[in-house]
Amino acid sequence: MIFGSLRTLGFRNLADAETNTQGKDVFLVGENGQGKTNFLEAVYFCSYASSFRGVSDREVVREGEQYSAVAAHFAGSGDRNRSSDKECMLYDQVRVTYEHQKKTVYLDGKRIEDRRDLLGVAPSIVFCHEDMEFVTGSPERRRWFFDQTLGLADPGYLEDLRKYRRVLKTRNTLLKTGADPPRGTSLRPMLDALDPQLAFYGLKLMEKRQEASVGFSAIFGTLYEQVTGLDKLGLRYVPSWKALTLEGIQGFLEEHRERDGLSGLTLSGPHRDRYLFIRREAEFAGNASTGQRRLLALLLRVAQARRFSALTGKYPVLLLDDVLLELDAEKRRKFLEALPEYGQAFFTFLPDEPYHRYRKPGTLVYQVSQGLLSSV
């Protein structure tokens, strides 16, 4: 599925307008602060009804406005077994509105309650500067990336993750009561009831993460070697719980209840899992150069897209936000050669970048100035 057109209303600094995007490649050219990234964000909003910037829904509403909306029509299928060239008619629509502090999502004119229903429509993968956090940031950010990677191809994983987090939240609320539970109650029976649920959903997450990390490591390691020449780079999944059975995990949780109670938090579990980049049995990211880290972050997204296509048979929409700007000419060439197959790609460029070199027949080029897109 590719975006045939995108309409924005009250969305950040973008003009209230409908833009033709019915091309495999769409270039957005303009100075910083003119709306290029905002347009990518609007596309992403139609894929997932959320921002890739990690901001609240209210923050995408244009300053001084109370209402915001983005809507997309789609063309083609994005399925590797079907040709979008044979399907040029626009169909299907996603619309996401925000009004009175409430977000509403429509698919084909029908309101949907769960954003997971959007996952199979026009999945987008964004490449942006903030991806460096997956390499140099906290373990939480790296977990977030791999949770997203698994969820793109397996909505059931996201449901297990939701259930785990709900149980975890309830358990932490109980632990925070500490040694002073409400009168007439005891924490132990309640924890006895919660811990099997936490263990059950946690173990399901661990099993899927372990399996996915092996497959992802194979894709990513080969890709990184092809682009950089550095071999034997892989991904290692390090679960917080060492036990691999329900009984073992429940026993561990009970054994460490006092410690958790003193801290008021559950100090172990999938929410504390780690992912490490390992080369020759040593942690790689901490010793890599800035250039290597930047390329590592970009190739993580390439591997994510390749894994998604391998598992689903669909090609994603790529959103590439100034990703070529920080690469030298040789790394640009190798990165572009390494890009996965895609249904559609949106690139942003500064005016003085050599974007004409990358233009193909049929590429749509828009000049972006003060939120307005003008065809070039």
Side-chain angles (χ1 to χ4, degrees):
M1 194 81 72
I2 71 170
F3 285 78
S5 68
L6 184 76
R7 181 169 183 79
T8 57
L9 181 65
F11 191 92
R12 292 203 182 266
N13 79 325
L14 296 177
D16 295 344
E18 185 168 8
T19 304
N20 170 36
T21 56
Q22 195 170 342
K24 186 176 178 65
D25 296 287
V26 182
F27 289 0
L28 307 172
V29 183
E31 298 289 352
N32 289 328
Q34 297 304 302
K36 305 189 301 295
T37 301
N38 292 344
F39 193 86
L40 297 188
E41 186 179 23
V43 173
Y44 193 88
F45 236 83
C46 289
S47 290
Y48 305 114
S50 64
S51 169
F52 61 77
R53 288 164 154 165
V55 300
S56 68
D57 296 328
R58 179 65 184 89
E59 291 181 68
V60 306
V61 181
R62 184 188 302 142
E63 187 174 354
E65 303 282 351
Q66 299 298 317
Y67 176 85
S68 177
V70 292
H73 281 92
F74 300 103
S77 67
D79 188 322
R80 66 172 68 190
N81 298 314
R82 298 171 65 186
S83 172
S84 60
D85 294 336
K86 298 178 182 178
E87 301 178 18
C88 57
M89 295 201 52
L90 299 182
Y91 63 97
D92 294 335
Q93 184 188 46
V94 167
R95 180 160 53 95
V96 184
T97 65
Y98 182 84
E99 186 176 22
H100 304 308
Q101 301 183 3
K102 184 177 181 180
K103 177 169 61 183
T104 309
V105 185
Y106 299 90
L107 179 59
D108 260 345
K110 298 178 181 178
R111 182 173 175 175
I112 62 174
E113 300 300 330
D114 195 324
R115 290 187 299 161
R116 287 188 306 157
D117 294 335
L118 286 179
L119 286 180
V121 178
S124 297
I125 291 178
V126 63
F127 297 68
C128 59
H129 182 74
E130 287 74 18
D131 292 348
M132 279 286 283
E133 295 178 7
F134 306 143
V135 178
T136 62
S138 66
E140 180 181 10
R141 291 300 295 153
R142 206 169 289 179
R143 280 194 303 274
W144 185 93
F145 171 80
F146 286 106
D147 283 341
Q148 183 189 65
T149 299
L150 270 70
L152 281 171
D154 181 8
Y157 176 83
L158 294 179
E159 185 60 26
D160 290 337
L161 185 61
R162 286 180 179 180
K163 291 176 179 177
Y164 174 83
R165 286 174 173 169
R166 283 199 292 265
V167 178
L168 178 67
K169 182 178 180 180
T170 302
R171 190 177 195 270
N172 284 342
T173 299
L174 286 175
L175 291 171
K176 286 175 183 177
T177 64
D180 187 28
R183 181 173 298 179
T185 65
S186 171
L187 293 184
R188 185 175 182 84
M190 290 184 281
L191 291 174
D192 283 344
L194 284 174
D195 284 359
Q197 299 178 55
L198 193 72
F200 176 77
Y201 293 117
L203 184 57
K204 292 181 71 173
L205 296 178
M206 290 166 58
E207 291 172 345
K208 289 186 176 183
R209 286 177 178 179
Q210 179 59 48
E211 180 182 6
S213 67
V214 173
F216 188 93
S217 183
I219 295 172
F220 177 73
T222 300
L223 179 64
Y224 198 81
E225 182 177 1
Q226 290 173 347
V227 175
T228 68
L230 292 178
D231 62 353
K232 303 188 185 307
L233 179 64
L235 175 73
R236 181 176 296 173
Y237 168 58
V238 185
S240 171
W241 288 333
K242 306 308 177 187
L244 298 177
T245 65
L246 286 175
E247 295 77 10
I249 294 171
Q250 288 175 226
F252 181 89
L253 288 170
E254 183 171 3
E255 181 182 348
H256 292 82
R257 276 184 187 176
E258 183 177 354
R259 181 196 65 175
D260 290 350
L262 290 173
S263 66
L265 292 171
T266 304
L267 297 176
S268 64
H271 60 291
R272 296 295 182 98
D273 286 352
R274 294 183 298 147
Y275 292 88
L276 303 176
F277 300 109
I278 302 293
R279 183 171 185 261
R280 302 187 188 279
E281 295 305 313
E283 204 278 325
F284 176 73
N287 298 315
S289 67
T290 300
Q292 288 173 328
R293 292 174 181 175
R294 180 60 183 150
L295 200 54
L296 184 65
L298 290 174
L299 295 181
L300 279 175
R301 289 297 196 183
V302 174
Q304 184 182 60
R306 288 189 178 184
R307 180 183 185 274
F308 168 79
S309 294
L311 294 177
T312 66
K314 296 180 179 180
Y315 293 135
V317 174
L318 305 184
L319 309 176
L320 300 104
D321 191 20
D322 288 343
V323 298
L324 301 181
L325 188 61
E326 298 179 10
L327 301 178
D328 59 39
E330 179 62 14
K331 285 190 172 63
R332 284 188 179 199
R333 181 185 66 80
K334 289 185 175 180
F335 171 70
L336 289 173
E337 290 176 352
L339 277 182
E341 289 288 338
Y342 55 85
Q344 186 177 32
F346 293 78
F347 294 80
T348 67
F349 296 99
L350 291 173
D352 58 353
E353 288 188 82
Y355 61 89
H356 293 290
R357 297 179 187 174
Y358 317 121
R359 188 172 184 174
K360 305 171 187 174
T363 297
L364 298 176
V365 181
Y366 287 103
Q367 182 73 37
V368 184
S369 179
Q370 297 183 349
L372 184 65
L373 276 67
S374 304
S375 181
V376 176

